[in-house]
Amino acid sequence: MLTPEKIEMMPLKEAVKTIEELTPPEVSMIFEQISTERVADILLSLSLERAVKIVEQLSVEKIVNAMLAMDRAASASLILKVNTDVATQIIETAVNVNVTRIAEIVEEATSMNLKAVISILEQIDVKLFAKLLVEIARLPAKIDVSLFP
C-alpha cells in the first residue's frame, strides 16, 4: 500500500513516477502529509499542467510553503497558471509568511505576464497588497547591463 512515508523515502524519480499515476485528490492527500521540501521537489519534476492540477487541490498553507521553497521562476509560472482565486489566496498567505520571497516571485511573474499578475493583484486584500508593493519596491533593482541590443 502506498503511504506518504513511502513517497517521502523513495528516490525522487520513483516518487515522481508514482505521483504521475495518481489522481490530483490522491496526490493532495499524500502531499499534505509529507515534507514541504519533498512536495517542492516533486512539483518541480512534474509538467506545469500536472503541477497546476495538484496545486489547486492542496491546502493554501502547504502550497505556499512549497512555492516559497521552489525556484522563483517555477513558483511564478505556477501562480500564473493556477485559478486566479487560488493565486490570490497563495499570494495573500505568502505575504504573511515571507513577504520578501513572495515579492521576488510576484516580480518574476510580472516579467512573464503583466496582465495576468494585475488581474490577480486586483483581488488581494488592500493591506496585504500595500505590504507586498512596499516589499517589491525594496527589492534590488534589476539593471540591464547588456552592451548590445
Side-chain angles (χ1 to χ4, degrees):
M1 181 176 168
L2 183 64
T3 64
E5 293 79 19
K6 287 182 182 176
I7 293 290
E8 188 83 55
M9 298 307 212
M10 284 180 189
L12 182 59
K13 284 185 179 186
E14 185 180 343
V16 170
K17 184 178 178 192
T18 302
I19 291 299
E20 286 176 339
E21 296 171 359
L22 301 174
T23 66
E26 291 170 328
V27 175
S28 175
M29 289 188 332
I30 291 170
F31 276 12
E32 293 295 341
Q33 299 178 51
I34 63 175
S35 72
T36 299
E37 294 78 17
R38 187 63 166 184
V39 170
D41 290 342
I42 293 171
L43 287 173
L44 285 170
S45 299
L46 296 171
S47 71
L48 182 58
E49 292 75 24
R50 178 75 170 148
V52 166
K53 288 178 184 174
I54 294 167
V55 164
E56 290 180 342
Q57 299 285 319
L58 288 173
S59 70
V60 174
E61 293 76 18
K62 189 64 158 191
I63 192 53
V64 163
N65 289 322
M67 288 179 73
L68 293 175
M70 291 168 53
D71 170 79
R72 181 177 22 194
S75 293
S77 294
L78 271 174
I79 284 178
L80 291 171
K81 292 289 184 182
V82 296
N83 173 300
T84 303
D85 292 336
V86 173
T88 300
Q89 291 175 17
I90 289 168
I91 293 172
E92 286 181 341
T93 303
V95 166
N96 290 319
V97 174
N98 186 335
V99 69
T100 302
R101 184 71 177 137
I102 195 62
E104 294 168 347
I105 292 167
V106 169
E107 181 183 51
E108 182 74 24
T110 301
S111 71
M112 295 175 175
N113 187 337
L114 179 60
K115 286 183 181 182
V117 172
I118 289 170
S119 69
I120 295 166
L121 295 180
E122 286 176 336
Q123 296 183 36
I124 290 181
D125 174 82
V126 175
K127 289 180 183 179
L128 295 173
F129 181 60
K131 192 173 178 182
L132 177 63
L133 286 180
V134 167
E135 194 61 30
I136 290 172
R138 289 182 181 156
L139 294 175
K142 291 183 178 177
I143 301 172
D144 183 4
V145 294
S146 60
L147 299 175
F148 305 100

